[in-house]
Amino acid sequence: MRSGPSANALNRSRALISEASRLVCLTGAGISAESGIPTFREAKTGLWARFNPEDLASEAGFRRDPLQVWQWYRGRYQSVLRAEPNLGHVALADLQDRNKNLQILTQNVDNLHERAGSKSVRHLHGEIVRCHCLACGKPWSSNMDIWESPQPPDCSCGGLFRPSVTWFGELLDADVWQQCLWAALACDVMLVVGTSGLVAPAAELPFLASDRGAAVVDVNPEETDISRMATQWLPGSASKILPKIVLG
Ligand code: BV8
Ligand code: ZN
C-alpha cells in the first residue's frame, strides 16, 4: 500500500497554495470518485473498461444508437443525483470562499463542485444537467426534468435532444476553452486534482501553466505524466489530502 505524502510535502503544498496570488484548480473524475461516481479509466470500475468511449461519448455513437447512449447518460445522471459532494469538493469551496480569485476548471460533467458551494466553475466538457437538440441546438427549456424520459426526446425540428457535454471528436466550447487557457497561462499556482491527464486539450493545461513558470501541485493516488512534471505530487485521495492543504 503506497504511503501518503510526507509532512514536508503537505507543508510545502499548503504554503504554495496559501501564498498564491493567481490560483487555479483543475479537476478530473478522481475528485468525484469518493462521491460514488465511477471514474473513466480505473480498470476495476472505470466506465471505459466496460464500454468503448467512441461508442458512447461521441456524436457517431449517438447517431448509431441514440437509445443506448441516452440510457448510459441517464444512468450517469441518476448517479450524480444520488451522489453528495465529498470533503474534497467542500475543501475547494471553502478555499474559494477565502481566496476569491481561485478559478475552478473541471473536466467533470457532474455538478458536485456547485453543490459544495463553489462559484463560477468552468466546465471544459460541458454539463450532464443540460441538454440541447442535436439538429438545431435548441436548449431543453421545459420545466420537466428531461432525464425523466427513458429515450431521447424529439425536438419540434425533428431532431433528437442530447446531453450538453463535449463528446470525443467535438470542439470544446470556444469561450470556456479561452477562459481556461487564460487562467492556466496567467496563474502562479495550479492545483490539479484527480485527473489521469489523458484527454486533450484539457490535459495540456497543467503543462502550459508549468511552462510559464507556475508551480503545479498534483493530488492523485496514482502517478501520471502530470505528477511526474509537478512541483509537488501528493499521492493520495482528494477527500483526505485537500482538507490538509487548503486550510485557512
Ligand atoms: C478535441 C464529456 C479537437 C463526455 C469528455 C489521439 C491522441 C491524442 C488525442 C486524441 C487522439 N485522438 C483524438 C484525440 C483528441 C481527443 C482525446 O484526447 N482523446 C483521448 C481519449 C486520446 N479529444 C477530443 O476529442 C476533444 N476534442 O480534441 O477537439 C478535435 C476535433 C475533431 C477531431 C479531432 C480533434 C474532446 C474531449 C472531450 C471528451 N469528453 N467528457 C462524458 O463525460 O461522457 S472526456 C472525459 O474523459 C471526462 O470529461 C474527462 O475529461 C476524461 C476523463 O479524464 P479524467 O477526468 O482524468 O478521468 P480518468 O478516469 O481518466 O482519471 C481519473 C484519475 O483520478 C486517475 O488518475 C485516478 O488515479 C485518479 N483518482 C481516482 N480516485 C481518486 C483520484 N484522484 C484523487 N482522489 C481520488 N479519490
Ligand atoms: Zn431541434
mmCIF file of all heavy atoms in Angstrom, residues 11-57:
data_model
loop_
_atom_site.group_PDB
_atom_site.id
_atom_site.type_symbol
_atom_site.label_atom_id
_atom_site.label_comp_id
_atom_site.label_asym_id
_atom_site.label_seq_id
_atom_site.Cartn_x
_atom_site.Cartn_y
_atom_site.Cartn_z
ATOM 1 N N ASN A 11 3.253 20.460 3.925
ATOM 2 C CA ASN A 11 3.547 21.849 4.354
ATOM 3 C C ASN A 11 3.943 22.710 3.159
ATOM 4 O O ASN A 11 3.487 23.845 3.006
ATOM 5 C CB ASN A 11 4.661 21.864 5.404
ATOM 6 C CG ASN A 11 4.206 21.247 6.714
ATOM 7 O OD1 ASN A 11 3.005 21.216 7.002
ATOM 8 N ND2 ASN A 11 5.147 20.702 7.480
ATOM 9 N N ARG A 12 4.761 22.125 2.290
ATOM 10 C CA ARG A 12 5.230 22.871 1.099
ATOM 11 C C ARG A 12 4.036 23.218 0.209
ATOM 12 O O ARG A 12 3.905 24.347 -0.287
ATOM 13 C CB ARG A 12 6.238 21.993 0.356
ATOM 14 C CG ARG A 12 6.899 22.648 -0.827
ATOM 15 C CD ARG A 12 8.010 21.738 -1.380
ATOM 16 N NE ARG A 12 8.657 22.307 -2.526
ATOM 17 C CZ ARG A 12 8.924 21.600 -3.642
ATOM 18 N NH1 ARG A 12 8.589 20.324 -3.717
ATOM 19 N NH2 ARG A 12 9.531 22.176 -4.670
ATOM 20 N N SER A 13 3.135 22.242 0.029
ATOM 21 C CA SER A 13 1.967 22.467 -0.841
ATOM 22 C C SER A 13 1.036 23.502 -0.221
ATOM 23 O O SER A 13 0.515 24.387 -0.914
ATOM 24 C CB SER A 13 1.223 21.150 -1.067
ATOM 25 O OG SER A 13 2.135 20.187 -1.597
ATOM 26 N N ARG A 14 0.853 23.392 1.097
ATOM 27 C CA ARG A 14 -0.033 24.343 1.794
ATOM 28 C C ARG A 14 0.498 25.766 1.629
ATOM 29 O O ARG A 14 -0.245 26.703 1.343
ATOM 30 C CB ARG A 14 -0.122 23.983 3.280
ATOM 31 C CG ARG A 14 -1.250 24.672 4.029
ATOM 32 C CD ARG A 14 -1.291 24.262 5.502
ATOM 33 N NE ARG A 14 -1.468 22.825 5.670
ATOM 34 C CZ ARG A 14 -0.554 22.009 6.237
ATOM 35 N NH1 ARG A 14 0.596 22.512 6.639
ATOM 36 N NH2 ARG A 14 -0.793 20.734 6.374
ATOM 37 N N ALA A 15 1.824 25.918 1.718
ATOM 38 C CA ALA A 15 2.435 27.248 1.567
ATOM 39 C C ALA A 15 2.267 27.762 0.133
ATOM 40 O O ALA A 15 1.862 28.916 -0.080
ATOM 41 C CB ALA A 15 3.918 27.178 1.935
ATOM 42 N N LEU A 16 2.500 26.906 -0.851
ATOM 43 C CA LEU A 16 2.325 27.322 -2.260
ATOM 44 C C LEU A 16 0.899 27.826 -2.489
ATOM 45 O O LEU A 16 0.680 28.876 -3.099
ATOM 46 C CB LEU A 16 2.630 26.143 -3.190
ATOM 47 C CG LEU A 16 4.104 25.791 -3.417
ATOM 48 C CD1 LEU A 16 4.229 24.441 -4.131
ATOM 49 C CD2 LEU A 16 4.808 26.895 -4.214
ATOM 50 N N ILE A 17 -0.068 27.081 -1.953
ATOM 51 C CA ILE A 17 -1.484 27.429 -2.184
ATOM 52 C C ILE A 17 -1.847 28.701 -1.429
ATOM 53 O O ILE A 17 -2.482 29.606 -1.975
ATOM 54 C CB ILE A 17 -2.382 26.237 -1.795
ATOM 55 C CG1 ILE A 17 -2.192 25.110 -2.821
ATOM 56 C CG2 ILE A 17 -3.853 26.652 -1.677
ATOM 57 C CD1 ILE A 17 -2.735 23.774 -2.382
ATOM 58 N N SER A 18 -1.421 28.809 -0.174
ATOM 59 C CA SER A 18 -1.837 29.999 0.613
ATOM 60 C C SER A 18 -1.123 31.262 0.131
ATOM 61 O O SER A 18 -1.675 32.356 0.253
ATOM 62 C CB SER A 18 -1.577 29.775 2.101
ATOM 63 O OG SER A 18 -0.188 29.600 2.301
ATOM 64 N N GLU A 19 0.053 31.129 -0.451
ATOM 65 C CA GLU A 19 0.795 32.314 -0.903
ATOM 66 C C GLU A 19 0.528 32.651 -2.376
ATOM 67 O O GLU A 19 1.013 33.652 -2.889
ATOM 68 C CB GLU A 19 2.305 32.107 -0.680
ATOM 69 C CG GLU A 19 2.680 32.139 0.805
ATOM 70 C CD GLU A 19 3.991 31.415 1.103
ATOM 71 O OE1 GLU A 19 4.784 31.204 0.151
ATOM 72 O OE2 GLU A 19 4.201 31.024 2.266
ATOM 73 N N ALA A 20 -0.289 31.817 -3.046
ATOM 74 C CA ALA A 20 -0.553 32.052 -4.480
ATOM 75 C C ALA A 20 -1.312 33.364 -4.659
ATOM 76 O O ALA A 20 -2.239 33.674 -3.906
ATOM 77 C CB ALA A 20 -1.367 30.908 -5.050
ATOM 78 N N SER A 21 -0.952 34.125 -5.689
ATOM 79 C CA SER A 21 -1.757 35.331 -5.956
ATOM 80 C C SER A 21 -2.762 35.071 -7.079
ATOM 81 O O SER A 21 -3.804 35.698 -7.151
ATOM 82 C CB SER A 21 -0.852 36.513 -6.314
ATOM 83 O OG SER A 21 0.108 36.085 -7.251
ATOM 84 N N ARG A 22 -2.466 34.104 -7.954
ATOM 85 C CA ARG A 22 -3.446 33.753 -9.020
ATOM 86 C C ARG A 22 -3.529 32.227 -9.052
ATOM 87 O O ARG A 22 -2.777 31.559 -9.739
ATOM 88 C CB ARG A 22 -2.969 34.320 -10.374
ATOM 89 C CG ARG A 22 -3.007 35.852 -10.446
ATOM 90 C CD ARG A 22 -2.471 36.367 -11.763
ATOM 91 N NE ARG A 22 -1.182 35.769 -12.122
ATOM 92 C CZ ARG A 22 -0.029 36.077 -11.529
ATOM 93 N NH1 ARG A 22 -0.013 36.971 -10.534
ATOM 94 N NH2 ARG A 22 1.103 35.517 -11.874
ATOM 95 N N LEU A 23 -4.434 31.715 -8.232
ATOM 96 C CA LEU A 23 -4.539 30.260 -8.022
ATOM 97 C C LEU A 23 -5.629 29.681 -8.926
ATOM 98 O O LEU A 23 -6.721 30.223 -9.027
ATOM 99 C CB LEU A 23 -4.880 29.984 -6.557
ATOM 100 C CG LEU A 23 -5.085 28.534 -6.121
ATOM 101 C CD1 LEU A 23 -3.794 27.728 -6.311
ATOM 102 C CD2 LEU A 23 -5.538 28.487 -4.670
ATOM 103 N N VAL A 24 -5.279 28.576 -9.608
ATOM 104 C CA VAL A 24 -6.235 27.870 -10.473
ATOM 105 C C VAL A 24 -6.262 26.405 -10.036
ATOM 106 O O VAL A 24 -5.226 25.857 -9.630
ATOM 107 C CB VAL A 24 -5.783 27.964 -11.955
ATOM 108 C CG1 VAL A 24 -6.568 26.996 -12.831
ATOM 109 C CG2 VAL A 24 -5.965 29.377 -12.473
ATOM 110 N N CYS A 25 -7.454 25.802 -10.082
ATOM 111 C CA CYS A 25 -7.560 24.383 -9.750
ATOM 112 C C CYS A 25 -8.205 23.658 -10.927
ATOM 113 O O CYS A 25 -9.253 24.065 -11.418
ATOM 114 C CB CYS A 25 -8.410 24.192 -8.485
ATOM 115 S SG CYS A 25 -8.589 22.468 -8.038
ATOM 116 N N LEU A 26 -7.562 22.591 -11.418
ATOM 117 C CA LEU A 26 -8.102 21.755 -12.498
ATOM 118 C C LEU A 26 -8.497 20.414 -11.880
ATOM 119 O O LEU A 26 -7.677 19.765 -11.228
ATOM 120 C CB LEU A 26 -7.042 21.520 -13.587
ATOM 121 C CG LEU A 26 -7.433 20.493 -14.672
ATOM 122 C CD1 LEU A 26 -8.537 21.042 -15.581
ATOM 123 C CD2 LEU A 26 -6.210 20.097 -15.517
ATOM 124 N N THR A 27 -9.765 20.024 -12.071
ATOM 125 C CA THR A 27 -10.181 18.733 -11.504
ATOM 126 C C THR A 27 -10.630 17.773 -12.600
ATOM 127 O O THR A 27 -11.045 18.185 -13.685
ATOM 128 C CB THR A 27 -11.346 18.920 -10.497
ATOM 129 O OG1 THR A 27 -12.506 19.398 -11.180
ATOM 130 C CG2 THR A 27 -10.960 19.868 -9.378
ATOM 131 N N GLY A 28 -10.544 16.494 -12.259
ATOM 132 C CA GLY A 28 -10.985 15.417 -13.154
ATOM 133 C C GLY A 28 -11.857 14.447 -12.381
ATOM 134 O O GLY A 28 -12.206 14.675 -11.215
ATOM 135 N N ALA A 29 -12.180 13.341 -13.033
ATOM 136 C CA ALA A 29 -13.138 12.370 -12.480
ATOM 137 C C ALA A 29 -12.738 11.889 -11.091
ATOM 138 O O ALA A 29 -13.586 11.517 -10.271
ATOM 139 C CB ALA A 29 -13.280 11.195 -13.429
ATOM 140 N N GLY A 30 -11.450 11.922 -10.764
ATOM 141 C CA GLY A 30 -10.978 11.415 -9.470
ATOM 142 C C GLY A 30 -11.550 12.164 -8.293
ATOM 143 O O GLY A 30 -11.755 11.591 -7.221
ATOM 144 N N ILE A 31 -11.865 13.468 -8.449
ATOM 145 C CA ILE A 31 -12.384 14.209 -7.289
ATOM 146 C C ILE A 31 -13.805 13.761 -6.955
ATOM 147 O O ILE A 31 -14.259 13.898 -5.823
ATOM 148 C CB ILE A 31 -12.321 15.736 -7.483
ATOM 149 C CG1 ILE A 31 -12.487 16.437 -6.121
ATOM 150 C CG2 ILE A 31 -13.364 16.239 -8.492
ATOM 151 C CD1 ILE A 31 -12.194 17.910 -6.095
ATOM 152 N N SER A 32 -14.499 13.177 -7.943
ATOM 153 C CA SER A 32 -15.877 12.715 -7.673
ATOM 154 C C SER A 32 -15.938 11.233 -7.339
ATOM 155 O O SER A 32 -17.002 10.702 -7.011
ATOM 156 C CB SER A 32 -16.775 13.013 -8.888
ATOM 157 O OG SER A 32 -16.866 14.415 -9.097
ATOM 158 N N ALA A 33 -14.756 10.560 -7.416
ATOM 159 C CA ALA A 33 -14.751 9.098 -7.179
ATOM 160 C C ALA A 33 -15.290 8.759 -5.793
ATOM 161 O O ALA A 33 -16.108 7.840 -5.622
ATOM 162 C CB ALA A 33 -13.331 8.557 -7.350
ATOM 163 N N GLU A 34 -14.896 9.534 -4.778
ATOM 164 C CA GLU A 34 -15.324 9.200 -3.402
ATOM 165 C C GLU A 34 -16.763 9.635 -3.136
ATOM 166 O O GLU A 34 -17.285 9.428 -2.056
ATOM 167 C CB GLU A 34 -14.361 9.857 -2.395
ATOM 168 C CG GLU A 34 -12.986 9.180 -2.417
ATOM 169 C CD GLU A 34 -11.916 10.034 -1.755
ATOM 170 O OE1 GLU A 34 -11.480 11.009 -2.383
ATOM 171 O OE2 GLU A 34 -11.519 9.719 -0.634
ATOM 172 N N SER A 35 -17.376 10.261 -4.151
ATOM 173 C CA SER A 35 -18.810 10.537 -4.042
ATOM 174 C C SER A 35 -19.605 9.417 -4.701
ATOM 175 O O SER A 35 -20.825 9.501 -4.831
ATOM 176 C CB SER A 35 -19.141 11.892 -4.708
ATOM 177 O OG SER A 35 -18.493 12.943 -4.014
ATOM 178 N N GLY A 36 -18.877 8.390 -5.165
ATOM 179 C CA GLY A 36 -19.548 7.231 -5.750
ATOM 180 C C GLY A 36 -19.766 7.325 -7.242
ATOM 181 O O GLY A 36 -20.488 6.518 -7.835
ATOM 182 N N ILE A 37 -19.143 8.319 -7.897
ATOM 183 C CA ILE A 37 -19.290 8.434 -9.359
ATOM 184 C C ILE A 37 -18.076 7.777 -10.009
ATOM 185 O O ILE A 37 -16.944 8.208 -9.759
ATOM 186 C CB ILE A 37 -19.413 9.912 -9.784
ATOM 187 C CG1 ILE A 37 -20.695 10.499 -9.176
ATOM 188 C CG2 ILE A 37 -19.438 10.059 -11.301
ATOM 189 C CD1 ILE A 37 -20.958 11.933 -9.526
ATOM 190 N N PRO A 38 -18.288 6.706 -10.797
ATOM 191 C CA PRO A 38 -17.141 5.968 -11.339
ATOM 192 C C PRO A 38 -16.239 6.860 -12.192
ATOM 193 O O PRO A 38 -16.740 7.719 -12.927
ATOM 194 C CB PRO A 38 -17.780 4.883 -12.215
ATOM 195 C CG PRO A 38 -19.219 4.843 -11.866
ATOM 196 C CD PRO A 38 -19.579 6.167 -11.274
ATOM 197 N N THR A 39 -14.933 6.659 -12.097
ATOM 198 C CA THR A 39 -14.023 7.374 -12.997
ATOM 199 C C THR A 39 -14.010 6.641 -14.339
ATOM 200 O O THR A 39 -14.638 5.590 -14.495
ATOM 201 C CB THR A 39 -12.582 7.369 -12.440
ATOM 202 O OG1 THR A 39 -12.127 6.013 -12.428
ATOM 203 C CG2 THR A 39 -12.528 7.956 -11.041
ATOM 204 N N PHE A 40 -13.317 7.207 -15.274
ATOM 205 C CA PHE A 40 -13.349 6.684 -16.644
ATOM 206 C C PHE A 40 -12.380 5.539 -16.851
ATOM 207 O O PHE A 40 -12.638 4.594 -17.555
ATOM 208 C CB PHE A 40 -13.005 7.818 -17.619
ATOM 209 C CG PHE A 40 -14.135 8.790 -17.748
ATOM 210 C CD1 PHE A 40 -14.347 9.736 -16.755
ATOM 211 C CD2 PHE A 40 -15.023 8.722 -18.807
ATOM 212 C CE1 PHE A 40 -15.411 10.608 -16.840
ATOM 213 C CE2 PHE A 40 -16.080 9.594 -18.881
ATOM 214 C CZ PHE A 40 -16.279 10.548 -17.908
ATOM 215 N N ARG A 41 -11.260 5.636 -16.239
ATOM 216 C CA ARG A 41 -10.219 4.704 -16.676
ATOM 217 C C ARG A 41 -9.756 3.709 -15.637
ATOM 218 O O ARG A 41 -9.011 2.808 -15.943
ATOM 219 C CB ARG A 41 -9.034 5.520 -17.181
ATOM 220 C CG ARG A 41 -9.347 6.062 -18.560
ATOM 221 C CD ARG A 41 -8.284 6.942 -19.112
ATOM 222 N NE ARG A 41 -8.793 7.484 -20.357
ATOM 223 C CZ ARG A 41 -9.712 8.431 -20.422
ATOM 224 N NH1 ARG A 41 -10.191 8.940 -19.334
ATOM 225 N NH2 ARG A 41 -10.167 8.875 -21.583
ATOM 226 N N GLU A 42 -10.193 3.860 -14.442
ATOM 227 C CA GLU A 42 -9.657 2.878 -13.487
ATOM 228 C C GLU A 42 -10.158 1.496 -13.868
ATOM 229 O O GLU A 42 -11.356 1.265 -13.960
ATOM 230 C CB GLU A 42 -10.073 3.247 -12.071
ATOM 231 C CG GLU A 42 -9.126 4.280 -11.505
ATOM 232 C CD GLU A 42 -9.688 4.921 -10.269
ATOM 233 O OE1 GLU A 42 -10.895 4.825 -10.064
ATOM 234 O OE2 GLU A 42 -8.900 5.510 -9.538
ATOM 235 N N ALA A 43 -9.259 0.614 -14.097
ATOM 236 C CA ALA A 43 -9.600 -0.713 -14.670
ATOM 237 C C ALA A 43 -10.755 -1.340 -13.904
ATOM 238 O O ALA A 43 -11.731 -1.776 -14.485
ATOM 239 C CB ALA A 43 -8.383 -1.600 -14.618
ATOM 240 N N LYS A 44 -10.666 -1.313 -12.566
ATOM 241 C CA LYS A 44 -11.652 -2.098 -11.801
ATOM 242 C C LYS A 44 -13.054 -1.497 -11.961
ATOM 243 O O LYS A 44 -14.027 -2.206 -12.132
ATOM 244 C CB LYS A 44 -11.289 -2.192 -10.318
ATOM 245 C CG LYS A 44 -10.871 -0.898 -9.670
ATOM 246 C CD LYS A 44 -10.365 -1.148 -8.250
ATOM 247 C CE LYS A 44 -9.960 0.136 -7.581
ATOM 248 N NZ LYS A 44 -8.978 0.879 -8.360
ATOM 249 N N THR A 45 -13.165 -0.188 -11.964
ATOM 250 C CA THR A 45 -14.525 0.377 -12.001
ATOM 251 C C THR A 45 -14.703 1.326 -13.181
ATOM 252 O O THR A 45 -15.775 1.790 -13.415
ATOM 253 C CB THR A 45 -14.786 1.225 -10.741
ATOM 254 O OG1 THR A 45 -13.789 2.255 -10.729
ATOM 255 C CG2 THR A 45 -14.715 0.399 -9.481
ATOM 256 N N GLY A 46 -13.615 1.629 -13.894
ATOM 257 C CA GLY A 46 -13.703 2.688 -14.919
ATOM 258 C C GLY A 46 -14.791 2.406 -15.944
ATOM 259 O O GLY A 46 -14.989 1.268 -16.377
ATOM 260 N N LEU A 47 -15.494 3.465 -16.327
ATOM 261 C CA LEU A 47 -16.586 3.320 -17.306
ATOM 262 C C LEU A 47 -16.044 2.753 -18.609
ATOM 263 O O LEU A 47 -16.682 1.934 -19.260
ATOM 264 C CB LEU A 47 -17.217 4.689 -17.577
ATOM 265 C CG LEU A 47 -18.034 5.282 -16.426
ATOM 266 C CD1 LEU A 47 -18.410 6.703 -16.764
ATOM 267 C CD2 LEU A 47 -19.274 4.440 -16.198
ATOM 268 N N TRP A 48 -14.840 3.234 -19.017
ATOM 269 C CA TRP A 48 -14.333 2.799 -20.318
ATOM 270 C C TRP A 48 -13.944 1.321 -20.274
ATOM 271 O O TRP A 48 -13.841 0.678 -21.308
ATOM 272 C CB TRP A 48 -13.139 3.628 -20.777
ATOM 273 C CG TRP A 48 -13.343 5.104 -20.907
ATOM 274 C CD1 TRP A 48 -12.408 6.056 -20.652
ATOM 275 C CD2 TRP A 48 -14.508 5.822 -21.331
ATOM 276 N NE1 TRP A 48 -12.909 7.322 -20.890
ATOM 277 C CE2 TRP A 48 -14.212 7.199 -21.294
ATOM 278 C CE3 TRP A 48 -15.793 5.463 -21.741
ATOM 279 C CZ2 TRP A 48 -15.107 8.190 -21.645
ATOM 280 C CZ3 TRP A 48 -16.701 6.445 -22.088
ATOM 281 C CH2 TRP A 48 -16.364 7.793 -22.049
ATOM 282 N N ALA A 49 -13.704 0.793 -19.079
ATOM 283 C CA ALA A 49 -13.331 -0.640 -19.002
ATOM 284 C C ALA A 49 -14.474 -1.473 -19.537
ATOM 285 O O ALA A 49 -14.293 -2.540 -20.098
ATOM 286 C CB ALA A 49 -13.033 -1.009 -17.556
ATOM 287 N N ARG A 50 -15.690 -0.960 -19.403
ATOM 288 C CA ARG A 50 -16.837 -1.777 -19.851
ATOM 289 C C ARG A 50 -17.380 -1.285 -21.188
ATOM 290 O O ARG A 50 -18.156 -1.966 -21.840
ATOM 291 C CB ARG A 50 -17.945 -1.711 -18.793
ATOM 292 C CG ARG A 50 -17.508 -2.309 -17.462
ATOM 293 C CD ARG A 50 -18.725 -2.621 -16.591
ATOM 294 N NE ARG A 50 -19.489 -1.424 -16.220
ATOM 295 C CZ ARG A 50 -19.120 -0.603 -15.227
ATOM 296 N NH1 ARG A 50 -18.005 -0.843 -14.563
ATOM 297 N NH2 ARG A 50 -19.823 0.458 -14.932
ATOM 298 N N PHE A 51 -17.025 -0.045 -21.535
ATOM 299 C CA PHE A 51 -17.584 0.482 -22.786
ATOM 300 C C PHE A 51 -16.457 1.042 -23.639
ATOM 301 O O PHE A 51 -15.408 1.410 -23.129
ATOM 302 C CB PHE A 51 -18.550 1.652 -22.492
ATOM 303 C CG PHE A 51 -19.704 1.293 -21.605
ATOM 304 C CD1 PHE A 51 -19.754 1.747 -20.289
ATOM 305 C CD2 PHE A 51 -20.727 0.497 -22.073
ATOM 306 C CE1 PHE A 51 -20.813 1.412 -19.455
ATOM 307 C CE2 PHE A 51 -21.797 0.165 -21.242
ATOM 308 C CZ PHE A 51 -21.832 0.626 -19.940
ATOM 309 N N ASN A 52 -16.688 1.135 -24.935
ATOM 310 C CA ASN A 52 -15.731 1.790 -25.822
ATOM 311 C C ASN A 52 -16.144 3.262 -25.918
ATOM 312 O O ASN A 52 -17.260 3.563 -26.346
ATOM 313 C CB ASN A 52 -15.827 1.111 -27.199
ATOM 314 C CG ASN A 52 -14.944 1.835 -28.195
ATOM 315 O OD1 ASN A 52 -14.547 2.997 -27.959
ATOM 316 N ND2 ASN A 52 -14.631 1.169 -29.276
ATOM 317 N N PRO A 53 -15.252 4.185 -25.502
ATOM 318 C CA PRO A 53 -15.670 5.596 -25.447
ATOM 319 C C PRO A 53 -16.263 6.091 -26.764
ATOM 320 O O PRO A 53 -17.238 6.817 -26.776
ATOM 321 C CB PRO A 53 -14.394 6.350 -25.105
ATOM 322 C CG PRO A 53 -13.287 5.381 -25.121
ATOM 323 C CD PRO A 53 -13.864 4.024 -25.071
ATOM 324 N N GLU A 54 -15.661 5.620 -27.873
ATOM 325 C CA GLU A 54 -16.186 6.111 -29.167
ATOM 326 C C GLU A 54 -17.633 5.676 -29.352
ATOM 327 O O GLU A 54 -18.410 6.321 -30.038
ATOM 328 C CB GLU A 54 -15.310 5.579 -30.321
ATOM 329 C CG GLU A 54 -14.083 6.443 -30.602
ATOM 330 C CD GLU A 54 -13.111 6.413 -29.424
ATOM 331 O OE1 GLU A 54 -12.912 5.330 -28.842
ATOM 332 O OE2 GLU A 54 -12.606 7.482 -29.054
ATOM 333 N N ASP A 55 -18.006 4.547 -28.767
ATOM 334 C CA ASP A 55 -19.392 4.081 -28.963
ATOM 335 C C ASP A 55 -20.389 4.919 -28.178
ATOM 336 O O ASP A 55 -21.545 5.016 -28.544
ATOM 337 C CB ASP A 55 -19.533 2.605 -28.504
ATOM 338 C CG ASP A 55 -18.762 1.683 -29.443
ATOM 339 O OD1 ASP A 55 -18.420 2.158 -30.542
ATOM 340 O OD2 ASP A 55 -18.498 0.541 -29.063
ATOM 341 N N LEU A 56 -19.918 5.479 -27.074
ATOM 342 C CA LEU A 56 -20.893 6.144 -26.206
ATOM 343 C C LEU A 56 -20.721 7.661 -26.179
ATOM 344 O O LEU A 56 -21.669 8.401 -26.370
ATOM 345 C CB LEU A 56 -20.775 5.579 -24.796
ATOM 346 C CG LEU A 56 -21.160 4.091 -24.681
ATOM 347 C CD1 LEU A 56 -20.802 3.555 -23.316
ATOM 348 C CD2 LEU A 56 -22.626 3.865 -24.987
ATOM 349 N N ALA A 57 -19.501 8.126 -25.927
ATOM 350 C CA ALA A 57 -19.306 9.576 -25.759
ATOM 351 C C ALA A 57 -18.869 10.205 -27.084
ATOM 352 O O ALA A 57 -17.822 10.831 -27.203
ATOM 353 C CB ALA A 57 -18.246 9.838 -24.684
#
